[in-house]
Structure formats: structure tokens, C-alpha cells
Amino acid sequence: MFGNKPKKNNFRDKPRIHHYDFAHIALRKFCAGNPLKFFTVMFSNQRDDFIGHVWQAVREQCDNKETADFTDKDIKLSLYKIEGYPAIIIEMPQACAIAEAILIGIVLTSCPEDSNETANAYFRYFVLEQSIDAHGKLNRTVFCEWAGDCHLNKGEGPKASIEPFIETIKQYL
């Protein structure tokens, strides 16, 4: 208004819908539907097909709102044991907006004796999210957890790489 133009941020104003929905909604809901089956598939040779299936579900929901700038082939998955629990670490494509996931950590924390009893299977769903620093630069992370439909911000996150992310997850198990 007085000749001063607002500074442009080095990031998008809002998360990409495909990126956000895959990391924060679709994958989590597939896991919550049957955690034992989810982990069985993810620890099998069917995991790439399954990720493709989740990606297709996201595309069906999101393609009419925005064009995806990545594919399911850009999503990297690694299997771990964290504190003795089976865990899946997912590296998302480059985050370029606040709340976009950098890493996802899904940990199966309990398993019923009867594999048909899914109600007693519990998992934890952690997300390392992109955030901004005090100067408005997109170079900070936030460590979060989904508990049911509640998104819990646990505060400052670690460096955006797998080992520090796993170390932070260990603090919450």
C-alpha cells in the first residue's frame, strides 16, 4: 500500500494435497483399518503394490483439485526394528510447504496372540513435518504424532534424516 511489497516466502502457502493426504490421511487410515494386515503386507514382497494402491486411492480423491508433482515411485520405504518393535520408515518426496511430511514412522507396538483379533493390535504413527523458523525460512522440522484422529505436535523435530528421526521415535515408545 505504501510502496512496500510483502516478501515472498521460500515455500508454498499450503501443502500439496496429494503429499498431505498420502502421508497424513490415507496411509494412516489403511493402517488403522487393520494394523496386523498392514504390517504383514508392508513386510512382504507385496509392499510396492500396496503403496501403489494407496497412491491410486489418493489420486482418486485429489486429482480433481490439483495435479500431483510426484508418483508412488518417489516414495521410499524402509523396514526396521525400533526398541524391538516392527517399524516402517517412509521417506516422502521433498517437502515444500509447512505440514508436509518429510518422514513417516509407523511402529507396531502390540500384537494379539490370535492373528484374527485385530482390535488389540496397536500402532504409533509419527510424522516429521516441514516447518518454518523464526525468520520465515522453511528450514525447521516439527515432530508430530497422530493418535486416532488427533494430530499431536510434540515440538521441535530432529534433523531431517532417518537416524535422528528413529532416535526421536525411541523417546516416545
Side-chain angles (χ1 to χ4, degrees):
M1 179 174 196
F2 297 101
N4 294 329
K5 291 184 179 177
K7 282 178 134 178
K8 286 209 167 200
N9 294 322
N10 62 343
F11 57 89
R12 291 173 48 108
D13 291 337
K14 61 182 182 174
R16 294 167 290 173
I17 193 165
H18 292 82
H19 199 283
Y20 187 90
D21 282 13
F22 183 90
H24 289 278
I25 299 169
L27 193 63
R28 180 173 53 87
K29 288 192 175 186
F30 273 101
C31 183
N34 189 333
L36 291 178
K37 185 175 181 182
F38 179 85
F39 271 82
T40 299
V41 169
M42 295 302 262
F43 274 78
S44 77
N45 60 2
Q46 299 173 359
R47 75 176 150 265
D48 292 337
D49 291 339
F50 180 74
I51 291 294
H53 173 72
V54 176
W55 175 246
Q56 187 58 39
V58 167
R59 291 202 56 202
E60 287 171 12
Q61 291 294 311
C62 301
D63 278 359
N64 63 340
K65 300 171 190 148
E66 187 175 280
T67 302
D69 61 356
F70 65 96
T71 73
D72 58 316
K73 305 298 183 229
D74 298 314
I75 299 166
K76 296 179 177 68
L77 185 137
S78 302
L79 305 174
Y80 290 87
K81 285 274 191 178
I82 301 176
E83 299 292 349
Y85 299 116
I88 303 158
I89 302 294
I90 297 166
E91 296 175 76
M92 290 295 292
Q94 179 70 42
C96 61
I98 295 171
E100 284 191 352
I102 300 166
L103 295 166
I104 303 163
I106 311 167
V107 183
L108 185 65
T109 56
S110 70
C111 183
E113 294 295 322
D114 179 2
S115 63
N116 293 322
E117 187 183 341
T118 61
N120 293 327
Y122 298 103
F123 69 96
R124 307 279 300 269
Y125 196 97
F126 301 101
V127 182
L128 186 65
E129 297 177 13
Q130 189 67 65
S131 190
I132 58 173
D133 65 16
H135 304 289
K137 299 210 185 269
L138 195 68
N139 61 3
R140 177 177 173 250
T141 65
V142 177
F143 187 78
C144 299
E145 180 177 8
W146 280 96
D149 288 331
C150 295
H151 182 261
L152 309 170
N153 184 327
K154 307 272 188 187
E156 190 76 27
K159 179 181 172 189
S161 63
I162 291 175
E163 290 308 317
F165 181 57
I166 288 173
E167 289 304 312
T168 303
I169 289 172
K170 286 179 183 179
Q171 296 173 22
Y172 289 92
L173 293 179

